[in-house]
Amino acid sequence: MAEGWWGEGVPAEFHWLRQYAVNTKHAVNLLPEAVLGTPAELGEIDLRADHPDFFSWTAALPIERDGVMHGLAGWFNCELAEGVWMSNSPLAERRINRPQAFLPIDEAVTVRAGDSIKARIMVRPDDSLIAWTVEFPASGRRFNHSTWQGMLLAPEDLMRSRPERVPRLSREGEARITVLGYCDGQRTAREIEQAVLRDHPNLLPSPEEISRFMTQVLGRDTE
């Protein structure tokens, strides 16, 4: 995973990719013995309700046995119906076959039973961004990571970030402006769709795609 780019047989010119690996969320299948202490509950998410754009959780993680800590691991317990639960926890007796999430730290740290580790995890689900901080009070060490630092950017991505760039609307952007231009507070969604199909039949490749796009735009960008 995070150390794979420094592994035996990997050419030295590829070792720089490690910096991206340690800032990436990895899927793992942990055994119970890989867990160094009692898990901490970060929070609850009700999938039936609206959720904020940003989550931030902190936790104190007690170390119960001597070992080497490579990062944070996360999993979930989900109540499907009253009294009916499923979990992908490596500590569950009947866990589902689904990997856990592993967030590495830049360097493995030796820990002792009785230590307490401080962790903070911040998530922006819509942007698929995760940031995590891990502190070791016993040694004073601290690690900061973010999946933003783990993104490999192409030259065109960097060009788009330049402030002197002159932006141009994409085809989707032009379509979005066209649809929103019909939102006058009087037309119904059906009337807007009919007007767009009548006036802009070539807005998207097919009427079906226009209809799906309309549903997306009118559901996200209007009240």
Side-chain angles (χ1 to χ4, degrees), residues 1-2 24-28 30 70-74 100-105:
M1 289 184 298
T24 298
K25 181 188 74 171
H26 300 268
V28 295
L30 297 175
H70 296 270
L72 304 173
Q100 301 84 39
F102 176 69
L103 304 175
I105 55 177

Side-chain angles (χ1 to χ4, degrees), residues 113-127:
D115 288 349
S116 182
I117 310 303
K118 296 180 180 179
R120 184 183 183 193
I121 301 174
M122 294 154 283
V123 181
R124 290 185 63 89
D126 289 346
D127 299 319

Side-chain angles (χ1 to χ4, degrees), residues 38-44 54-62 72 103 116-123 131-135 142 144:
T38 301
E41 182 178 308
L42 295 183
E44 295 184 3
F54 174 77
F55 292 96
S56 179
W57 301 293
T58 58
L61 305 173
L72 304 173
L103 304 175
S116 182
I117 310 303
K118 296 180 180 179
R120 184 183 183 193
I121 301 174
M122 294 154 283
V123 181
W132 61 100
T133 299
V134 183
E135 297 182 57
R142 176 188 175 100
N144 295 299

Side-chain angles (χ1 to χ4, degrees), residues 148 151-170:
W148 172 254
M151 294 181 180
L152 290 169
L153 299 178
E156 54 269 25
D157 296 324
L158 297 176
M159 286 294 295
R160 282 194 288 268
S161 68
R162 296 176 61 181
E164 64 271 20
R165 180 180 67 93
V166 178
R168 292 180 175 83
L169 281 174
S170 64

Side-chain angles (χ1 to χ4, degrees), residues 128-141:
S128 300
L129 290 176
I130 306 172
W132 61 100
T133 299
V134 183
E135 297 182 57
F136 296 82
S139 63
R141 304 197 66 182

